[in-house]
Amino acid sequence: MVKIPPYLKKGDLIGITCSSSKMDLQAAEYARGVLSSWGYRVHLGITVGTSFHNFSAPDELRLEELQDMLDDPEIKAIVFGRGGYGMVCILDKLDFTKFRKAPKWLCGYSDITTLHSHIQRKFGIATLHSMMCSGITPDTLDNEYVRSLATALKGKPYRYTTTAHPLNREGKTSGILVGGNLSILANLSGTPSQVNTKGKILLLEDIGEYRYNIDRMMYNLKRAGWLDKLAGLVVGSFIDGKETDTPFGQSEYEIISNLVKEYDYPVCFGFPSGHSAENYSLKLGVKHELKIGAKTVLTEQL
């Protein structure tokens, strides 16, 4: 049984931490103001606005702050500042004892996929694949993607509709939603944090990868059995793709489509999730219904 953390009510406390790469303090303070305007109290961690090479802080400090926020009973949700790299460096030193007894919403994507996957594999607790503080800006303040974070934190059901993509494979299915960033998932393959995808709907997205490397990572997932018995596949944004001197010859979507053509489950391309301004909040570890036809609808099942 999946365990759902309590949804937030006005006056609840949200913690903001940068457990991976560094983030500008001014940007984080703006996001704090937006979260406060939704009726929440917000605690800005000491890793926000600090810098240690490409990280926000040394491993020990990032670990200490995230551990404190996981353990603090007053904090009802953690919204990560940004992704980048660094969660895997501290993951195995985290103690989830108190979190398992009193789970809270962990909100983010990109490098936070490491934490999402580990928690779903080990503890079966729902988390939120969502925009982070870095995505809450004056330009995005009133858009539907930022609003989707507010909606998800309150526990309101959501229904997202996207236009059809030519590579879509039509069908209707349901299953628990898992996944996130492809690069992270491929690196978790074969580790204790690898999610079980059997009967699940798998979400994939990525940014800034060479197209041949997308192909290689997808073969990794395929050979490791990730793609065999899915209920469905949702492919989000793949942006800023790179080429070597000799082009690979396929787009990211074509690579993925070719590698799953032997299976018969529904596949959706171009879902608004990932490293773009179009980034809906999605509850990982929660059952969803996926309908792919003239339009694609992904609905949370409560």
Side-chain angles (χ1 to χ4, degrees), residues 244-255:
T244 58
D245 291 340
T246 303
F248 188 73
Q250 297 178 60
S251 70
E252 290 85 354
Y253 284 180
E254 289 169 337
I255 290 168

Side-chain angles (χ1 to χ4, degrees), residues 202-205 233-238 253 256 267-271:
L202 177 63
L203 169 69
L204 298 175
E205 63 83 28
L233 178 63
V234 175
V235 185
S237 63
F238 277 74
Y253 284 180
I256 295 171
V267 182
C268 164
F269 287 90
F271 188 83

Side-chain angles (χ1 to χ4, degrees), residues 44-287:
L44 210 62
I46 60 173
T47 59
V48 179
T50 59
S51 176
F52 180 74
H53 305 299
N54 190 51
F55 302 106
S56 65
D59 289 357
E60 295 77 13
L61 184 55
R62 301 195 326 275
L63 171 65
E64 180 182 4
E65 179 164 273
L66 179 54
Q67 186 70 67
D68 287 347
M69 289 191 180
L70 288 172
D71 292 346
D72 188 340
E74 192 175 3
I75 291 178
K76 304 302 181 184
I78 299 172
V79 178
F80 291 91
R82 59 164 297 195
Y85 173 70
M87 181 63 72
V88 73
C89 306
I90 63 174
L91 180 66
D92 292 329
K93 296 179 182 178
L94 287 168
D95 182 349
F96 293 96
T97 303
K98 293 183 179 179
F99 174 79
R100 292 176 68 182
K101 293 178 180 178
K104 59 195 68 179
W105 287 104
L106 306 179
C107 312
Y109 71 106
S110 188
D111 193 51
I112 312 305
T113 298
T114 303
L115 191 60
H116 291 318
S117 297
H118 185 80
I119 287 172
Q120 282 145 37
R121 173 64 184 265
K122 292 288 189 178
F123 313 125
I125 296 172
T127 59
L128 193 60
H129 187 278
S130 72
M131 191 167 290
M132 296 176 282
C133 293
S134 57
I136 303 175
T137 69
D139 291 335
T140 65
L141 173 60
D142 294 320
N143 73 21
E144 60 187 296
Y145 307 103
V146 172
R147 290 198 304 270
S148 76
L149 174 58
T151 297
L153 288 172
K154 292 176 183 176
K156 294 182 179 179
Y158 53 73
R159 177 182 174 126
Y160 302 135
T161 303
T162 64
T163 55
H165 190 279
L167 292 175
N168 282 0
R169 185 157 59 215
E170 294 185 12
K172 178 181 177 180
T173 190
S174 63
I176 289 174
L177 184 67
V178 298
N181 181 259
L182 172 59
S183 298
I184 298 296
L185 296 174
N187 278 283
L188 294 177
S189 188
T191 75
S193 305
Q194 176 182 332
V195 291
N196 179 2
T197 58
K198 183 178 180 180
K200 309 293 200 311
I201 298 174
L202 177 63
L203 169 69
L204 298 175
E205 63 83 28
D206 219 321
I207 181 175
E209 290 289 340
Y210 282 95
R211 292 191 173 94
Y212 79 88
N213 200 34
I214 296 292
D215 193 62
R216 178 164 57 190
M217 290 188 290
M218 286 302 300
Y219 268 110
N220 179 314
L221 299 193
K222 185 170 187 175
R223 297 183 69 235
W226 290 63
L227 308 178
D228 292 348
K229 299 184 185 298
L230 293 179
L233 178 63
V234 175
V235 185
S237 63
F238 277 74
I239 65 170
D240 299 339
K242 301 176 183 178
E243 293 280 19
T244 58
D245 291 340
T246 303
F248 188 73
Q250 297 178 60
S251 70
E252 290 85 354
Y253 284 180
E254 289 169 337
I255 290 168
I256 295 171
S257 180
N258 286 334
L259 279 167
V260 300
K261 63 184 179 184
E262 66 192 73
Y263 309 114
D264 59 2
Y265 44 74
V267 182
C268 164
F269 287 90
F271 188 83
S273 179
H275 288 76
S276 66
E278 295 78 32
N279 188 15
Y280 280 129
S281 296
L282 295 164
K283 293 172 187 174
L284 300 174
V286 173
K287 191 174 182 180

